[in-house]
C-alpha cells in the first residue's frame, strides 16, 4: 500500500534582506519513492515548479546547515520566527526560500512515521522495477535475428 504525506504552506521567496514575496507550495512524500521529498512551488498555477531531493537532506537541514551544489538547507531565525531556508540552484536561476520551521518539522515527522529511517529499502519493489526494465519490448525482436548472415548464406537470399 502506497502512503502519501502532503502539506500545503506558504513559503517566502527572498528577493532582498528587506523584501520577500509569498509562494504557495506543497510538500509531498510518497512511500513508493521513500528516499525523496518533492516540493512543488506555484501550486494551482499553469506552470508549477517541482524540486525533488533527499528526505534525509531536509531532515538534517531542519537542525543544521547541510547540502552542497543545487540544494542547500539550513535553519535560522527571521524577525524572531524559526524558518528553514532552502537555497535552490538550476540552469534557469537561483532562489532562496524561507519555510516556517514548525509546519515543515511536523510534516517531516509524519513522513518518518510513514517510513522509518533505515527501512526505506523495504518499500522499494526493486525486483518488479528490474523485471519491467529488462522485459523485452516489441522492437527487441529485431535483435533476435542475426544481423550478419553467415558466409554460407546464398547471395540474393
Amino acid at each position: 500500500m502506497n502512503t502519501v504525506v502532503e502539506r500545503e504552506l506558504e513559503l517566502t521567496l527572498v528577493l532582498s534582506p528587506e523584501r520577500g514575496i509569498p509562494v504557495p507550495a506543497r510538500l509531498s512524500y510518497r512511500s513508493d519513492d521513500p528516499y525523496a521529498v518533492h516540493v512543488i512551488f506555484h501550486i494551482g498555477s499553469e506552470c508549477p515548479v517541482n524540486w525533488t531531493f533527499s528526505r534525509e537532506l531536509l531532515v538534517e537541514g531542519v537542525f543544521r546547515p547541510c547540502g552542497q551544489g543545487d540544494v542547500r538547507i539550513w535553519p535560522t531565525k527571521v524577525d524572531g520566527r524559526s524558518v528553514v531556508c532552502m537555497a535552490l540552484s538550476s540552469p534557469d536561476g537561483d532562489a532562496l526560500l524561507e519555510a516556517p520551521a514548525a509546519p515543515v518539522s511536523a510534516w517531516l515527522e509524519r513522513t518518518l512515521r510513514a517510513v522509518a529511517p533505515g527501512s526505506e529499502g523495504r518499500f522499494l519493489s526493486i525486483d518488479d522495477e528490474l523485471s519491467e526494465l529488462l522485459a523485452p519490448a516489441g522492437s527487441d525482436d529485431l535483435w533476435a535475428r542475426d544481423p550478419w548472415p553467415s558466409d554460407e548464406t546464398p547471395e540474393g537470399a
Side-chain angles (χ1 to χ4, degrees):
M1 183 173 130
N2 186 31
T3 301
V4 177
V5 181
E6 292 188 322
R7 170 74 193 253
E8 290 188 12
L9 66 149
E10 188 173 273
L11 305 183
T12 301
L13 175 62
V14 178
L15 302 175
S16 72
E18 302 81 31
R19 189 165 191 286
I21 58 172
V23 177
R26 177 183 303 121
L27 303 175
S28 182
Y29 177 80
R30 298 186 320 262
S31 62
D32 64 344
D33 189 9
Y35 292 104
V37 293
H38 306 271
V39 184
I40 301 98
F41 303 101
H42 302 292
I43 54 175
S45 74
E46 290 181 24
C47 300
V49 177
N50 186 22
W51 275 79
T52 302
F53 49 89
S54 146
R55 176 176 71 163
E56 185 178 356
L57 179 69
L58 186 55
V59 168
E60 186 176 341
V62 167
F63 297 102
R64 66 187 140 273
C66 66
Q68 52 185 310
D70 294 344
V71 180
R72 291 174 294 133
I73 302 172
W74 66 94
T76 192
K77 290 212 181 265
V78 174
D79 298 328
R81 298 177 299 117
S82 293
V83 297
V84 177
C85 291
M86 291 183 275
L88 307 175
S89 296
S90 79
D92 294 327
D94 301 326
L96 174 59
L97 295 131
E98 295 173 349
V104 170
S105 296
W107 175 79
L108 274 171
E109 200 169 302
R110 288 176 47 215
T111 74
L112 296 171
R113 281 195 305 269
V115 177
S119 71
E120 293 93 347
R122 292 184 317 173
F123 290 83
L124 294 174
S125 54
I126 292 176
D127 292 336
D128 294 341
E129 297 294 328
L130 278 175
S131 294
E132 185 179 328
L133 181 65
L134 299 174
S139 61
D140 289 344
D141 293 339
L142 296 174
W143 296 105
R145 288 183 268 139
D146 186 3
W148 296 279
S150 71
D151 293 336
E152 299 169 9
T153 306
E155 278 191 44

